[in-house]
Amino acid sequence: MDKVDFIRKKMKECTLQDLPQGQRELLLAAEKAAMNSYSPYSGFKVGAALLASSGEMFTGTNVENAGYSPTICAERAAIVSACSSGVQDFQAIAVISPSSGDTVGSPCGVCRQVLSEFSKDGDITVILSNATKSRIIITSVAELLPLPFRL
Ligand code: THU
């Protein structure tokens, strides 16, 4: 078993049925958001849904650009949406991406850093799902980005 497999094995996997109701709703909201993905260059439709401590939900999807680098990922789009409504405290985020088969997509490094910015006062649960929701991994921002950069 290599190092990466070892770390992955420590992460909790669960079925859609096992997910607590709130987290299931969050994942379904992420799935719905993915339908609005603007991804003409990759065709990779990602959806994210953030659960605020207030109970409010904010969704995001990836928005691509011909210049490639201006592309914003679904996770950051959800954070921007919440912040735009004055919400900065989060409990959980669900992300669904269309990686092939059993592969569960997980947030890119930039999104991990941005999520970490909002987990200073407590960790944020991260629910990751493959496209069909047959594989779901429960992790957290601290687990995905140990030793984050902070000022
Ligand atoms: N993408 C996300 O939306 N979230 C991630 O965590 C990884 C990548 C998007 C960016 C781009 O539009 C497409 O997926 C392919 O990289």
Side-chain angles (χ1 to χ4, degrees):
M1 198 193 306
D2 68 20
K3 242 186 208 165
V4 174
D5 276 341
F6 175 75
I7 293 166
R8 266 197 215 118
K9 287 247 153 56
K10 286 198 338 189
M11 292 181 182
K12 206 176 111 196
E13 277 209 38
C14 76
T15 64
L16 187 62
Q17 289 72 29
D18 291 341
L19 268 186
Q21 165 91 356
Q23 295 192 353
R24 202 177 322 149
E25 277 172 22
L26 203 61
L27 181 54
L28 296 179
E31 189 176 33
K32 206 169 160 196
M35 291 192 244
N36 296 325
S37 168
Y38 176 75
S39 41
Y41 305 103
S42 72
F44 198 78
K45 295 173 181 288
V46 185
L50 261 176
L51 180 64
S53 306
S54 61
E56 283 173 282
M57 222 189 268
F58 296 88
T59 58
T61 190
N62 53 327
V63 179
E64 297 185 344
N65 187 274
Y68 291 4
S69 61
T71 293
I72 184 164
C73 293
E75 297 89 327
R76 276 176 290 140
I79 290 270
V80 169
S81 167
C83 284
S84 304
S85 292
V87 176
Q88 300 178 357
D89 290 323
F90 309 111
Q91 278 178 28
I93 183 167
V95 183
I96 186 163
S97 40
S99 309
S100 51
D102 263 6
T103 308
V104 175
S106 79
C108 75
V110 173
C111 287
R112 290 176 196 212
Q113 178 65 27
V114 170
L115 287 166
S116 169
E117 182 75 21
F118 294 93
S119 9
K120 283 178 195 151
D121 304 323
D123 206 359
I124 298 174
T125 301
V126 178
I127 301 133
L128 303 172
S129 174
N130 68 342
T132 60
K133 304 189 288 297
S134 63
R135 266 198 84 201
I136 296 165
I137 292 174
I138 313 293
T139 179
S140 76
V141 172
E143 196 167 30
L144 290 174
L145 188 65
L147 283 182
F149 173 70
R150 301 258 163 87
L151 287 179

